[in-house]
Amino acid sequence: MPTLTTYKTTIIPDWVDYNGHLRDAFYLLIFSYATDALMDQLGMDSNNREASGNSLFTLELHLNYLHEVKLGTEVEVQTQIIGHDRKRLHLYHSLHLVGEEQELAGNEQMLLHVDIAGPRSAPFSEAVLDKLRAITALQVDLPRPAYIGRVIGLPAEK
């Protein structure tokens, strides 16, 4: 199993700017929908969230715009689990033309499993951890994405 294809969509008119390109905010919307789909695959769907009172909150994310995406383009998100512990999930989403390898955008996320009543951090259930372990084992040979661990900053003046 390579990365998981977690979301597919077609770029609609409401998502594009005056240049006919996907607006910045809608890249993140697409990646957010991919995170929702991953949560469903992990057994953390809306029924589970309601029953358990737990969900994932985004702690940090980085978004890299690599190539333009235009109106009407059919895209898909591929997701790679970079790592996890009992409460956190580090993942990478990449945006592609459907069926193509070229990365159009990359999105690194650090998510925290939360008891919403607190809100406070809470450990994943064993069932979710088992699914995370299974996906991670299947992705163990995937290369580390080029756009993770990046830092924003200006170079020091000389």
Side-chain angles (χ1 to χ4, degrees), residues 100-142:
E100 299 291 327
E101 286 189 34
Q102 182 184 37
E103 189 173 353
L104 304 173
N107 174 230
E108 179 181 14
Q109 296 187 15
M110 181 64 72
L111 306 170
L112 179 67
H113 191 246
V114 172
D115 175 348
I116 297 169
R120 63 183 176 279
S121 66
F124 290 112
S125 70
E126 282 304 315
V128 169
L129 281 172
D130 288 345
K131 289 177 183 177
L132 282 170
R133 289 179 192 117
I135 293 169
T136 302
L138 292 171
Q139 294 183 340
V140 70
D141 292 330
L142 287 176

Side-chain angles (χ1 to χ4, degrees), residues 2 46 90 94 125 140:
S46 59
H90 183 194
S94 55
S125 70
V140 70

Side-chain angles (χ1 to χ4, degrees), residues 2-128:
T3 55
L4 299 169
T5 299
T6 48
Y7 187 69
K8 291 183 182 183
T9 192
T10 300
I11 305 306
I12 61 174
D14 286 347
W15 293 357
V16 298
D17 63 15
Y18 46 86
N19 292 317
H21 299 142
L22 185 60
R23 288 183 178 276
D24 296 355
F26 291 100
Y27 283 86
L28 187 53
L29 177 74
I30 291 168
F31 289 132
S32 182
Y33 286 148
T35 299
D36 290 349
L38 176 65
M39 289 174 67
D40 290 349
Q41 290 182 21
L42 294 173
M44 299 177 65
D45 58 17
S46 59
N47 292 334
N48 176 275
R49 286 189 298 275
E50 190 173 312
S52 70
N54 295 330
S55 188
L56 286 177
F57 285 13
T58 305
L59 295 176
E60 182 175 352
L61 64 82
H62 293 200
L63 183 52
N64 290 276
Y65 306 97
L66 306 173
H67 297 281
E68 64 186 12
V69 178
K70 295 185 177 183
L71 177 64
T73 303
E74 292 183 21
V75 294
E76 65 186 12
V77 176
Q78 297 175 11
T79 302
Q80 182 176 350
I81 304 297
I82 303 302
H84 66 86
D85 60 19
R86 295 198 55 78
K87 295 181 181 181
R88 293 173 296 181
L89 174 58
H90 183 194
L91 62 83
Y92 186 78
H93 294 305
S94 55
L95 185 68
H96 303 263
L97 298 176
V98 171
E100 299 291 327
E101 286 189 34
Q102 182 184 37
E103 189 173 353
L104 304 173
N107 174 230
E108 179 181 14
Q109 296 187 15
M110 181 64 72
L111 306 170
L112 179 67
H113 191 246
V114 172
D115 175 348
I116 297 169
R120 63 183 176 279
S121 66
F124 290 112
S125 70
E126 282 304 315
V128 169

